[in-house]
Amino acid sequence: MITPPANELTSGLGRVVYSEAQIRARVLDLGREISRDYAGRNPLVVGVLKGVMFFMSDLLRAIDIPVRVDFMAISRYVAATGGKGAVRLTKDLEESMADQHVLFVEDVIDTGLTLSYLLRNLRARGPASLEVCTLFDKPQHRLANIPLRYRGFDLPDRFVVGYGLDHKEAYRHLPYVAELTPAALGLSNRD
Ligand code: IMP
Ligand code: MG
């Protein structure tokens, strides 16, 4: 078990689940696989801010074919509306998806409800193809059936932070992924 060095940033962290080196190696693999599969198709790579930012930038630099890049941003409806997985687009894509080969990149898929909602929205825009690449997968909590074309790692059934994943906006810029101690987790804010 690796414990991160103690300092102000790492307070509240438990075990490191995936190290910087492990993440780098896996992201390079994914980039190679995507480059091979999408050769000649000039795909549109789409990410949802903000969690995906480090994965997206490392993955893109591991892809050696021409691609285009776009982002969307969402905010989740919480208990008030009760609409499970319903999200509001706070920033839409700038590129048209019509007849494009779209690769949707996610940081982590947990219940899959957010993504399932987004995929319905995106499919309606008439892409030539639409595939999903997630760095982290938490299959234990899945409530929606998500077709995953590329998957980096499975995650334990724990709340983790780092490499883009936050807890109340903290810890996103850790270069590795670590568990939070139960004390630091408190009442889990899942976004
Ligand atoms: P779901 O798949 O709709 O349940 O939601 C996935 C979203 O929940 C992700 O995009 C993250 O914002 C957040 N999330 C899920 N698990 C974790 C975690 O372990 N750490 C940080 N955020 C998480
Ligand atoms: Mg989040």
Side-chain angles (χ1 to χ4, degrees):
M1 163 147 70
I2 313 163
T3 309
N7 63 35
E8 196 187 352
L9 172 61
T10 61
S11 103
L13 295 184
R15 179 177 83 88
V16 172
V17 181
Y18 292 110
S19 69
E20 193 173 354
Q22 285 174 306
I23 295 172
R24 187 181 311 118
R26 188 70 188 110
V27 172
L28 287 176
D29 285 346
L30 289 171
R32 256 182 243 126
E33 215 181 316
I34 290 167
S35 304
R36 199 179 53 225
D37 294 351
Y38 281 90
R41 290 201 282 166
N42 193 21
L44 175 63
V45 183
V46 171
V48 178
L49 298 169
K50 296 179 270 196
V52 83
M53 60 184 180
F54 297 108
F55 178 40
M56 185 72 140
S57 70
D58 287 344
L59 180 67
L60 288 170
R61 284 177 289 181
I63 293 178
D64 63 2
I65 57 164
V67 300
R68 285 161 311 122
V69 183
D70 209 346
F71 290 97
M72 49 206 306
I74 60 174
S75 75
R76 291 192 178 76
Y77 291 117
V78 201
T81 62
K84 279 206 170 143
V87 296
R88 185 168 60 89
L89 293 189
T90 56
K91 180 202 173 303
D92 203 347
L93 299 177
E94 288 162 12
E95 305 276 320
S96 161
M97 283 184 36
D99 303 320
Q100 302 298 312
H101 293 285
V102 177
L103 179 62
F104 192 86
V105 179
E106 263 282 32
D107 47 357
V108 54
I109 302 177
D110 188 13
T111 64
L113 291 173
T114 313
L115 185 54
S116 148
Y117 180 91
L118 283 176
L119 289 178
R120 265 199 308 278
N121 176 306
L122 297 183
R123 274 195 201 102
R125 305 181 187 196
S129 67
L130 178 59
E131 302 283 1
V132 178
C133 170
T134 188
L135 180 58
F136 298 115
D137 186 17
K138 287 181 164 178
Q140 297 93 333
H141 282 170
R142 196 59 44 78
L143 294 175
N145 182 32
I146 303 286
L148 273 186
R149 178 74 183 77
Y150 306 94
R151 170 205 280 112
F153 300 101
D154 274 352
L155 272 182
D157 189 9
R158 295 278 175 80
F159 196 85
V160 297
V161 292
Y163 202 68
L165 300 178
D166 70 303
H167 177 57
K168 301 182 179 171
E169 291 302 323
Y171 304 111
R172 271 195 210 281
H173 60 302
L174 291 171
Y176 49 83
V177 166
E179 289 178 358
L180 275 189
T181 61
L185 194 52
L187 278 181
S188 136
N189 166 355
R190 300 253 322 264
D191 203 344

